[in-house]
Amino acid sequence: MAKIAHRPPAELNAPVFGAGSVGPFAALSLKDHGIGRIDLTETNALRRETANNAGLGRVIDPLTGAPGESAFDLIIDALGVQATRKAAIAEVLPGGAVMNIGLMDNEGGFDAR
């Protein structure tokens, strides 16, 4: 992961979109690789609470606290809908990476099936 941004993992920041079953495992992997800042975004209050209690990183509701454009080195989309793909592209830093591991729909011109 450090090769993505050409910086040590501790200096990288990465959100995981979705805190269902796949997102927390992605966050654990990031944590294991020493990523400095991990944000989990989730709209469901119960999932936010579960992720927060697990200590996986900062947990936010993207409907009330979006980080803005070009803010992250690596983005993991564990949800895979048109809105999260669009947000990932808008929020990744130039030269960063977007990883789509959630494939909920094919809307928006991205057919991964």
Side-chain angles (χ1 to χ4, degrees):
M1 288 185 208
K3 293 178 184 178
I4 292 170
H6 307 288
R7 293 195 323 264
E11 294 179 10
L12 302 179
N13 54 61
V16 176
F17 294 171
S21 58
V22 177
F25 285 109
L28 282 171
S29 178
L30 292 171
K31 195 171 191 176
D32 186 56
H33 280 86
I35 300 300
R37 183 177 127 204
I38 302 166
D39 295 337
L40 280 92
T41 64
E42 176 60 56
T43 58
N44 180 287
L46 183 57
R47 288 181 178 173
R48 280 196 312 274
E49 180 182 353
T50 301
N52 194 43
N53 290 341
L56 299 173
R58 185 176 71 145
V59 182
I60 61 172
D61 182 345
L63 299 176
T64 61
E69 291 191 17
S70 297
F72 299 103
D73 301 295
L74 167 67
I75 296 177
I76 297 179
D77 182 359
L79 190 57
V81 296
Q82 183 178 4
T84 57
R85 285 192 294 272
K86 185 176 179 180
I89 291 168
E91 295 173 11
V92 70
L93 287 166
V98 174
M99 182 183 297
N100 290 293
I101 58 175
L103 302 172
M104 187 178 289
D105 68 33
N106 293 327
E107 300 298 318
F110 181 77
D111 186 354
R113 294 170 203 220

